[in-house]
Amino acid sequence: MSNRVKHIAIIMDGNGRWAELQGKKRVKGHEEGAKVVKKITTYCSNMPDIERLTLYAFSTENWKRPRLEVEFLMKLLDTYLKKELPVYLENNVRFEPIGDLRAFSKSLQKTIQMVQDETAHCDGLVQSLALNYGAQDEIIRAVNRLKKEAGEITAEMLSNTLDAKCDVDILIRTGGDHRLSNFLLWQAAYAELFFTDILWPDYTVEDLEKIIQRFTKIERKFGGLK
Ligand code: FPP
């Protein structure tokens, strides 16, 4: 029997290098990257098996980047969400951010909340953007919430308290590096990992289709024998 993919998670790396290779400013790569976010989301929304797409858009470590790049990313996110709202609705996509949103400006928080509210009734694909997200930070925030409960913390309790509550089936990283960079460390415990040299702005639906094809043929044992 072939595997069904329910949850795809992507580390969208390589925007800066893509731009530099063309003699452009790094931020141009982020702009192109946002277009790929739209294409991949639309594709996934048309695939009935795929329930959730989680995209690493801004990590807890990305604040270390030059101020102008961080400001550009914030503005890009705000513009993207406002402009794409009709597309979320057309494709029945529910937007669910993960991460600690309190670090963002009040106005960006408002946009994020608005898109979340407006798409709350959509019951197709869930597009989850990881925003000011780091898996270690997510786990610490969950444990601190659970500390108030009596008794021992179980794996199930922790799973249900994390920002992202679904296990990952396919985890893809573009841009050539082979690391997880603090992304969904708990939820990806049994994910199939795919690394590609393709830079995110060059990533296509066909590239994703090939990975899904490979995934369907993998024997997943989850620590068992069959
Ligand atoms: C990594 O590339 C990418 C990011 C830190 C940001 C991801 C953002 C986008 C794909 C665009 C914005 C997204 C939305 C949803 C509007 P990098 O800059 O680290 O690339 P490099 O490794 O080549 O420097």
Side-chain angles (χ1 to χ4, degrees), residues 11-20 26-27 29-38 41 55-59 62 65 69 72-81 84 88 95 127 129-131 173-175 177 179 199-201:
I11 302 175
M12 310 179 287
D13 199 14
N15 293 347
R17 274 166 290 160
W18 180 91
E20 279 158 8
R26 288 178 51 81
V27 292
H30 297 314
E31 228 167 56
E32 284 301 309
K35 294 181 192 163
V36 179
V37 168
K38 178 175 177 169
T41 304
L55 302 170
Y56 210 178
F58 194 85
S59 77
N62 285 153
R65 293 186 175 213
E69 184 169 337
F72 184 91
L73 281 167
M74 298 298 129
K75 184 91 198 76
L76 181 63
L77 182 63
D78 193 75
T79 313
Y80 180 89
L81 289 173
E84 296 306 318
Y88 281 94
F95 168 66
Q127 186 219 48
L129 292 186
L131 301 170
R173 180 178 188 131
T174 62
D177 286 325
R179 55 174 170 261
L199 305 174
W200 178 250

Side-chain angles (χ1 to χ4, degrees), residues 13 42 87 165 168 201:
D13 199 14
T42 304
V87 182
K165 295 175 181 55
V168 175

